[in-house]
Amino acid sequence: MASQENPSRLIPSFLYSSLLKSKRMADMEQDSTLGMNNPSGLSESQATPPSTAGIRRNFMIPAPKESRIAMYSPSFYAACTAGGIASCGLTHMAVTPLDLVKCNMQIDPAKYKSITSGFGILLKEQGVKGFFRGWVPTLLGYSAQGACKFGFYEYFKKYYSDMAGPENAAKYKTLIYLAGSASAEVIADVALCPFEAVKVRVQTQPGFAKGLADGFPKLIRVEGVSGLYKGIVPLWGRQIPYTMMKFATFENIVEAIYKYAIPSPKDQCSKNLQLGVSFAGGYIAGVFCAIVSHPADNLVSFLNNAKGATVGDAVNKLGLMGLCTRGLPLRIVMIGTLTGAQWGLYDAFKVFVGLPTTGGGKPAPAQK
């Protein structure tokens, strides 16, 4: 007759060891209880039914707060990168209709005179589907950008803080936020630029392409690989100031909220309250971001839409006032909502994997 297989071999060893340990602890507690409350001498199995409480507990999936991701470990940066993908890709895709109207107002202000008329023209000419033209390059491009933006920001913030030392890091924290975010955005825009070039053409040049699948090869065929990066300098000009404002303003606003508006320290606040602070801080930061980066945003739209155009051509045609103000009200609404949602989603993801929300806490000590 075949021997019965050891049940422990049917369970992964790390689970079995914890189960066995819990069962032994439960048995010891029962033995102690029986010794005091079972004078009749009945065996353990006769006195009480076997306890399975300890076993059940070990089959529970750990709650987010029980995560063992070490701060500033490779797993920490991987989690921040994943959070950046979710926060930037999804939010930018969600506001594609606003972005579409904004780009057309910048390129053809005579036709798209206002936000409401812009939506009306698009609806009349292209139908509801037209509002989401270019959503694929938007999703993929800003997912790639978000991965680099948030992942490298967390890395550079820690790196520059360690270089400065604890005292200088606390004294010059805003400079560290600015330097860390600028360094991250330089890398992030290299990932974004090809998708942005295709997106702008798809959204502002009817008939150029239906989306990324046909727009990407057509752009390379018409302008070469260099055409994918024709707008990289204006993109840096738009995104680096935007991101510096986005991160530095957010960090300082969140710190001020916890310091002056909330009576309890951050670590004593509920996660829902912390996420609310993240959204509020992100929305306020987004308003400043829109104002600072708007002239470069007009340049990016102009250069990607006009073949062979230069920055000088854009300034001559739009004027300095036009560069600073054309499409600005819509962009403030769009970027404020976008930035608030991004910080909310990013910190929600960090909470989900067991990490603290961004900002408002004491800086971590430098690693030796």
Side-chain angles (χ1 to χ4, degrees):
M1 183 175 178
S3 60
Q4 290 184 339
E5 183 159 9
N6 187 343
S8 67
R9 295 183 182 178
L10 302 177
I11 306 175
S13 59
F14 70 93
L15 281 175
Y16 176 73
S17 60
S18 63
L19 292 172
L20 192 59
K21 182 178 178 181
S22 297
K23 187 176 184 305
R24 282 201 301 264
M25 291 178 63
D27 290 343
M28 290 174 62
E29 291 176 359
Q30 285 184 337
D31 289 342
S32 175
T33 303
L34 286 170
M36 292 183 293
N37 301 326
N38 189 23
S40 63
L42 292 175
S43 66
E44 176 184 320
S45 60
Q46 292 172 317
T48 56
S51 172
T52 58
I55 295 178
R56 287 192 189 130
R57 279 196 298 272
N58 284 277
F59 277 109
M60 294 289 289
I61 297 173
K65 66 180 180 180
E66 297 172 0
S67 173
R68 294 296 181 265
I69 297 177
M71 293 293 291
Y72 311 115
S73 66
S75 296
F76 168 79
Y77 294 118
C80 294
T81 298
I85 291 173
S87 66
C88 288
L90 294 176
T91 52
H92 275 276
M93 183 185 70
V95 297
T96 297
L98 286 173
D99 188 41
L100 190 61
V101 173
K102 185 259 306 176
C103 287
N104 280 285
M105 287 177 66
Q106 292 170 333
I107 297 303
D108 192 357
K111 181 177 180 181
Y112 298 89
K113 297 179 180 180
S114 66
I115 297 172
T116 53
S117 67
F119 275 106
I121 292 170
L122 285 174
L123 181 63
K124 181 179 179 180
E125 294 182 352
Q126 302 178 32
V128 175
K129 291 177 62 177
F131 289 128
F132 287 92
R133 191 153 42 93
W135 72 269
V136 175
T138 298
L139 174 63
L140 296 181
Y142 283 95
S143 292
Q145 186 214 36
C148 298
K149 184 199 296 275
F150 283 92
F152 280 109
Y153 172 70
E154 299 284 4
Y155 171 79
F156 283 119
K157 182 171 69 170
K158 184 70 169 66
Y159 179 75
Y160 293 145
S161 295
D162 289 351
M163 284 182 60
E167 184 177 343
N168 286 329
K171 185 177 181 180
Y172 301 109
K173 60 181 182 295
T174 299
L175 291 178
I176 289 173
Y177 301 149
L178 292 170
S181 56
S183 300
E185 191 59 40
V186 170
I187 301 171
D189 288 343
V190 174
L192 170 64
C193 194
F195 297 96
E196 184 76 0
V198 175
K199 177 186 79 73
V200 170
R201 283 169 173 78
V202 168
Q203 291 181 337
T204 61
Q205 294 181 7
F208 176 82
K210 295 180 180 179
L212 182 66
D214 57 340
F216 195 83
K218 182 176 181 179
L219 181 57
I220 295 177
R221 188 169 61 251
V222 172
E223 298 189 25
V225 176
S226 61
L228 297 174
Y229 284 95
K230 185 176 71 171
I232 186 64
V233 173
L235 190 61
W236 277 331
R238 179 187 80 184
Q239 290 297 132
I240 291 176
Y242 164 85
T243 301
M244 292 170 72
M245 182 67 72
K246 173 179 180 175
F247 283 85
T249 305
F250 172 83
E251 295 265 15
N252 282 288
I253 288 173
V254 167
E255 182 180 348
I257 290 174
Y258 283 115
K259 186 175 181 180
Y260 299 109
I262 299 177
S264 301
K266 177 185 173 181
D267 56 5
Q268 295 179 17
C269 296
S270 69
K271 294 301 182 184
N272 287 337
L273 177 57
Q274 291 184 38
L275 293 177
V277 171
S278 294
F279 177 80
Y283 197 98
I284 297 171
V287 174
F288 288 98
C289 291
I291 296 171
V292 167
S293 63
H294 194 66
D297 183 62
N298 274 317
L299 280 177
V300 170
S301 296
F302 185 90
L303 293 177
N304 279 324
N305 190 66
K307 184 177 179 179
T310 65
V311 173
D313 295 332
V315 173
N316 289 334
K317 183 173 181 178
L318 302 178
L320 290 176
M321 184 61 69
L323 279 175
C324 295
T325 60
R326 181 171 293 174
L328 180 59
L330 177 58
R331 192 158 186 267
I332 286 177
V333 174
M334 185 181 80
I335 297 300
T337 305
L338 195 72
T339 308
Q342 283 178 1
W343 278 115
L345 284 172
Y346 177 65
D347 276 347
F349 184 85
K350 290 175 74 174
V351 168
F352 175 75
V353 298
L355 294 171
T357 57
T358 309
K362 295 180 180 180
Q367 291 180 334
K368 301 285 185 177

